[in-house]
Amino acid sequence: MAESLPEHERILQEIESTDTACVGPTLRSVYDDQPNAHQRFMEKLDACIRNHDREIEKMCNFHHQGFVDAITELLKVRADAEKLKVQVTDTNRRLQDAGKEVIAQTEEIIRCRIQQRNITTVVEKLQLCLPVLEMYSKLKEQMKVKRYYSALKTMEQLENMYLPRVSQYRFCQIMIENLPKLREEIKEISMSDLKDFLESIRKHSDKIGETAMKQAQQQKTFNTALQKQNNVNYGRNMYVINGRVPEPKYEITSKRTLEEEDEHEEEVLTAHDLVDFSPVYRCLHIYSVLGDGETFENYYRKQRRKQARLVLQPQSSMHETVEGYRRYFSQIVGFFVVEDHILHVTQGLVTRAYTDELWNMALSKIIAVLRTHSSYCTDPDLVLELKNLIVVFADTLQGYGFPVNRLFDLLFEIRDQYNETLLKKWAGLFRDIFEADNYSPIPVANEEEYKIVISKFPFQDPELDKQSFPKKLPMSQSVPQIYIQVKEFIYASLKFSESLHRSSTEIDDMLRKSTNLLLTRTLSSCLQNLIKKPHIGLTELVQIIINTTHLEQACKYLEDFITNITNISQETVHTARLYGLSTFKDARHAAEGEIYTKLNQKIDEFIQLADYDWTMSESAGRASGYLMDLINFLRSTFQVFTHLPGKVAQTACMSACQHLSTSLMQMLLDSELKQISMGAVQQFNLDVIQCECLQVVYYTNGRWR
């Protein structure tokens, strides 16, 4: 009991001194103590409360009088306090009224200070943002004027230098989001420009190629003219054409070309001036800057390959006109002129290996196309134009570094075709000449007409020169015309051989071979066909033999003519000879055989008119009428033979007599003849005697009599 009382006092002290939040644990210790501890604690608590009440009462009693005094004094100052309150309120009101203006000005000052601070901040921020906005505005302007490469550089500066400084602003984020879109837009626009460029050069490649070919041709003509002018002191070869000495065509052309070039030198545009390559450069730079250069290169090469296939595809009617070939070549030249320019002004867009591969593919296609379409050409002038176009085409592309040897090899194939077309054309000319010929000696009334004839044909006859005018030349009109046409054929063949980069020896060989073909095949065939024609009589055959003799003699002049053109001597080991001798000999032999045949046929026609009365009692006393007609025919025919070589005339006479003898013998030995009277035998004998008495013209000392 005694021990618990100090404990209760301690608990009460804690309750009085401790914060009310900590009273709980203290009170719990009261209930956790010994039994009946709660009762004792309550008793102790009541005692403590009574002590405090007594102390409070003592305190109140002690201070009560002072409280009363204080209340009394307060009541005394209450009236003064009311007055003071009224005065303070009035003073406060007057002070508030007086401070309103100050407050308004103060607020205005505060607002201005805030604005000033904001302005300063805005200026600072704008100074930071202004370069970004200027660069973006510059970017938009560059996009507007299509300076896309510069726009990409501006974007790069924006991303790396300017935008990181103001990345916290929303407009900056919008710019950052727009830059990839702008890049894609630039790629699309540049690609669109490239497509437009590709389409443009596809449409205008013929114009580009035409300009390039024209300039290459002018340059070649200019170089040739200079070379000829440098060599003029060494002499020149002149040849006679129909009695005149023409000025070489190359000199006329070169002079005209030099004059035109002097007049229009400042107006000449190159092929590159006709094409604006800026879309290619822009697109290449743009894709390179964007790191997508390989994609662009692949696209460009793919599209150009497609265009190459289109360019190399000829029109079905190309072979009909030279314009078709010219347009075809111009398009190809234009294509490769563009590629060559791209090769030299860009790095890596196209390579030499790529252009070589493209050219080899194109060359194979070109050769195949030309082989096919040239085979349809039947006009030698068109084939010659084609050859000239191929030469200009090859020279133009060779000037750009493309190998063209296969094209010149192709020209040799086309040369054979050209010769074939020439042979066909000249076959028609020969036929026309033979059809128009009257097959009679050429009459000349005076010296002037004689000179005109010999200016066309190299005829020499001292005996005829001694005769007075008028007189007749032994050959007919077809001989000088044939000779002229053979020379024209040589000129036509020479035209194809020009500009083929071949030596004079090769050209000479070409001319001689083609001339041999003309003589041995074309002219020979025309002569053979002429001789076989039914309307050609004995007189015409005799004239044909005379004509072939003179043409044979003129072959040496044709050889000299070729020699003068090519400057290749006939004594050169490899120089071919003309085969005209054998051609005209074969024609003469055919004509001679035809004379024998026709003469025998004519004799048979007269024999068929024989109407012997094998039972007549006595003869008519004179030769039969059919036989007299036959003899008169033979006499006139043999008179025509006076112009033939003696052996030919003798053979013809012998053949006619033998055939007549055989025919008369067959009449007597006819199986249908059963009996012959003496009068019939006498009549037949008179006919045979008349044949024996036939004054056959014979050949002695170079004359018929």
Side-chain angles (χ1 to χ4, degrees):
M1 182 68 180
E3 293 178 359
S4 60
L5 291 176
E7 180 66 21
H8 291 162
E9 291 178 357
R10 183 185 63 78
I11 291 173
L12 290 174
Q13 290 177 358
E14 286 183 4
I15 291 173
E16 291 178 356
S17 59
T18 304
D19 190 4
T20 56
C22 300
V23 174
T26 304
L27 294 177
R28 191 180 298 110
S29 63
V30 175
Y31 292 95
D32 293 339
D33 208 347
Q34 297 176 2
N36 299 324
H38 174 265
Q39 184 65 30
R40 289 192 296 274
F41 175 73
M42 293 301 296
E43 294 176 354
K44 188 63 178 176
L45 180 59
D46 290 339
C48 182
I49 291 172
R50 286 193 296 272
N51 288 331
H52 284 298
D53 288 341
R54 284 193 296 270
E55 289 178 0
I56 291 172
E57 185 179 357
K58 288 180 180 179
M59 181 67 67
C60 290
N61 292 328
F62 179 75
H63 292 289
H64 179 265
Q65 187 59 43
F67 177 73
V68 173
D69 293 337
I71 291 299
T72 302
E73 290 180 1
L74 285 175
L75 290 173
K76 289 180 181 179
V77 299
R78 180 175 181 179
D80 295 331
E82 290 292 339
K83 293 179 182 180
L84 179 61
K85 179 180 179 182
V86 173
Q87 292 176 356
V88 169
T89 301
D90 183 59
T91 302
N92 180 61
R93 181 181 58 77
R94 287 188 284 107
L95 183 61
Q96 291 294 333
D97 293 338
K100 285 181 180 180
E101 184 177 354
V102 176
I103 292 172
Q105 293 178 355
T106 303
E107 290 177 352
E108 181 66 20
I109 292 174
I110 293 172
R111 187 176 62 82
C112 290
R113 293 287 177 85
I114 293 174
Q115 288 180 350
Q116 184 179 10
R117 185 180 66 230
N118 292 340
I119 290 173
T120 303
T121 304
V122 168
V123 169
E124 293 176 354
K125 298 302 182 183
L126 285 177
Q127 288 177 345
L128 188 62
C129 296
L130 189 59
V132 178
L133 297 174
E134 290 177 348
M135 291 297 289
Y136 196 79
S137 176
K138 179 181 178 182
L139 172 62
K140 287 294 186 180
E141 184 65 25
Q142 290 170 340
M143 292 288 292
K144 183 178 179 180
V145 298
K146 299 182 179 181
R147 296 174 57 194
Y148 301 117
Y149 182 72
S150 301
L152 288 175
K153 291 296 185 181
T154 303
M155 288 185 198
E156 185 177 354
Q157 293 179 356
L158 277 172
E159 288 181 327
N160 297 332
M161 296 176 56
Y162 294 96
L163 289 178
R165 302 175 184 175
V166 292
S167 58
Q168 68 274 20
Y169 299 110
R170 189 165 60 89
F171 76 89
C172 179
Q173 297 299 323
I174 296 175
M175 290 182 182
I176 293 174
E177 293 174 358
N178 285 338
L179 291 182
K181 297 178 182 179
L182 290 176
R183 284 194 174 92
E184 289 299 322
E185 180 182 352
I186 290 175
K187 287 180 65 175
E188 292 175 359
I189 293 175
S190 61
M191 184 57 70
S192 177
D193 291 344
L194 177 66
K195 291 178 180 178
D196 293 341
F197 167 79
L198 294 175
E199 181 65 19
S200 175
I201 61 174
R202 186 187 69 82
K203 291 180 179 179
H204 299 92
S205 58
D206 56 342
K207 181 65 175 178
I208 300 169
E210 183 181 351
T211 302
M213 292 172 67
K214 181 179 179 182
Q215 291 174 354
Q217 192 173 14
Q218 290 176 347
Q219 184 63 39
K220 182 179 179 180
T221 304
F222 179 76
N223 294 337
T224 303
L226 288 180
Q227 183 178 2
K228 296 301 180 181
Q229 289 176 0
N230 293 334
N231 296 335
V232 70
N233 294 329
Y234 296 95
R236 65 180 63 170
N237 295 320
M238 307 299 289
Y239 41 83
V240 177
I241 306 177
N242 298 337
R244 67 182 186 276
V245 181
E247 183 177 2
K249 293 182 179 179
Y250 67 83
E251 291 193 3
I252 299 175
T253 304
S254 62
K255 290 177 181 178
R256 186 185 305 116
T257 302
L258 289 174
E259 293 174 359
E260 292 177 355
E261 287 183 355
D262 291 339
E263 293 177 1
H264 305 289
E265 182 177 1
E266 297 181 356
E267 301 177 3
V268 174
L269 294 176
T270 65
H272 299 155
D273 295 331
L274 301 176
V275 184
D276 180 16
F277 288 93
S278 58
V280 180
Y281 305 149
R282 281 199 305 269
C283 201
L284 176 61
H285 291 160
I286 287 169
Y287 273 76
S288 300
V289 170
L290 296 177
D292 209 8
E294 185 176 355
T295 301
F296 172 73
E297 293 173 7
N298 294 335
Y299 176 82
Y300 177 84
R301 294 182 184 183
K302 180 180 179 180
Q303 294 301 315
R304 290 297 279 166
R305 285 183 184 275
K306 290 182 179 179
Q307 290 188 350
R309 295 187 184 97
L310 292 175
V311 167
L312 295 172
Q313 190 66 32
Q315 296 181 354
S316 58
S317 60
M318 183 178 72
H319 61 278
E320 296 178 356
T321 62
V322 68
E323 289 302 323
Y325 286 107
R326 181 176 286 111
R327 179 175 175 81
Y328 180 68
F329 287 129
S330 297
Q331 288 178 339
I332 297 174
V333 171
F335 178 89
F336 283 100
V337 165
V338 171
E339 289 305 288
D340 180 77
H341 183 75
I342 294 295
L343 172 67
H344 288 90
V345 300
T346 61
Q347 295 181 354
L349 181 55
V350 296
T351 61
R352 174 57 65 182
Y354 162 79
T355 55
D356 289 344
E357 178 189 357
L358 203 60
W359 169 243
N360 290 331
M361 180 271 291
L363 190 57
S364 300
K365 179 66 175 177
I366 293 168
I367 291 175
V369 167
L370 292 178
R371 280 200 182 108
T372 301
H373 284 264
S374 62
S375 62
Y376 300 142
C377 296
T378 57
D379 182 7
D381 294 333
L382 180 57
V383 178
L384 183 62
E385 289 288 346
L386 173 60
K387 168 257 175 183
N388 292 332
L389 284 176
I390 294 176
V391 171
V392 175
F393 173 75
D395 290 341
T396 302
L397 289 175
Q398 189 175 33
Y400 286 94
F402 295 99
V404 294
N405 293 334
R406 291 173 61 188
L407 286 174
F408 285 102
D409 294 338
L410 174 66
L411 284 174
F412 280 92
E413 299 178 20
I414 298 179
R415 180 200 65 190
D416 297 336
Q417 179 187 348
Y418 175 71
N419 286 336
E420 289 297 325
T421 58
L422 285 180
L423 292 175
K424 291 179 181 178
K425 179 179 179 180
W426 257 256
L429 293 175
F430 290 153
R431 285 193 296 268
D432 294 340
I433 291 173
F434 290 142
E435 288 292 336
D437 195 10
N438 57 9
Y439 296 99
S440 59
I442 302 175
V444 288
N446 49 48
E447 183 74 21
E448 183 179 354
E449 291 182 4
Y450 180 74
K451 288 182 179 180
I452 292 175
V453 175
I454 63 174
S455 68
K456 298 178 181 178
F457 183 76
F459 174 75
Q460 295 178 355
D461 189 347
E463 293 295 330
L464 186 62
D465 291 342
K466 295 177 182 179
Q467 298 179 14
S468 61
F469 293 99
K471 53 187 175 182
K472 291 184 178 181
L473 303 181
M475 64 278 191
S476 65
Q477 290 287 352
S478 62
V479 172
Q481 293 176 359
I482 291 294
Y483 183 78
I484 290 173
Q485 288 303 323
V486 172
K487 292 173 65 176
E488 291 297 332
F489 177 87
I490 295 173
Y491 280 127
S493 298
L494 178 64
K495 288 179 181 179
F496 195 92
S497 302
E498 294 174 347
S499 304
L500 291 185
H501 309 297
R502 297 295 173 178
S503 64
S504 298
T505 303
E506 291 175 304
I507 294 176
D508 181 86
D509 186 61
M510 294 178 194
L511 292 179
R512 293 179 184 273
K513 287 181 178 180
S514 59
T515 306
N516 279 329
L517 284 175
L518 178 71
L519 297 176
T520 60
R521 196 172 78 182
T522 304
L523 183 55
S524 175
S525 176
C526 290
L527 286 171
Q528 296 292 340
N529 293 334
L530 175 66
I531 292 169
K532 298 295 182 182
K533 287 185 176 182
H535 71 275
I536 297 297
L538 292 172
T539 304
E540 288 82 358
L541 289 172
V542 170
Q543 188 62 53
I544 289 173
I545 292 175
I546 297 172
N547 290 348
T548 53
T549 302
H550 288 283
L551 287 173
E552 179 182 343
Q553 294 171 356
C555 283
K556 62 179 182 180
Y557 296 101
L558 290 176
E559 290 192 343
D560 294 339
F561 178 72
I562 295 176
T563 300
N564 290 335
I565 292 177
T566 60
N567 282 335
I568 301 299
S569 174
Q570 299 182 34
E571 285 72 25
T572 305
V573 177
H574 301 290
T575 301
R577 294 292 183 266
L578 296 183
Y579 303 143
L581 299 177
S582 61
T583 297
F584 298 121
K585 284 181 180 179
D586 293 341
R588 275 201 307 278
H589 292 159
E592 292 168 5
E594 194 67 18
I595 286 176
Y596 306 149
T597 301
K598 286 185 179 293
L599 190 57
N600 292 339
Q601 289 176 352
K602 200 67 178 177
I603 293 174
D604 290 339
E605 291 177 3
F606 281 101
I607 293 295
Q608 289 176 0
L609 298 176
D611 187 16
Y612 285 105
D613 183 4
W614 299 107
T615 61
M616 66 174 53
S617 58
E618 60 181 14
S619 65
R622 62 181 182 276
S624 301
Y626 85 92
L627 190 63
M628 294 305 296
D629 293 338
L630 174 59
I631 290 173
N632 292 331
F633 167 75
L634 290 176
R635 283 176 177 173
S636 62
T637 301
F638 292 160
Q639 190 65 34
V640 175
F641 289 171
T642 58
H643 300 291
L644 290 176
K647 184 178 179 180
V648 177
Q650 291 175 1
T651 304
C653 293
M654 291 176 60
S655 174
C657 292
Q658 288 177 358
H659 186 72
L660 177 57
S661 174
T662 303
S663 299
L664 292 173
M665 182 63 70
Q666 287 178 352
M667 292 174 64
L668 289 175
L669 300 177
D670 189 357
S671 59
E672 296 181 356
L673 184 60
K674 303 300 182 182
Q675 62 180 358
I676 303 176
S677 65
M678 183 56 67
V681 172
Q682 291 175 354
Q683 182 64 44
F684 195 82
N685 185 50
L686 289 174
D687 292 343
V688 173
I689 292 173
Q690 187 65 35
C691 291
E692 290 176 348
C693 295
L694 175 63
Q695 299 297 314
V696 179
V697 183
Y698 59 91
Y699 194 75
T700 303
N701 296 329
R703 287 188 177 275
W704 287 95
R705 69 179 183 180

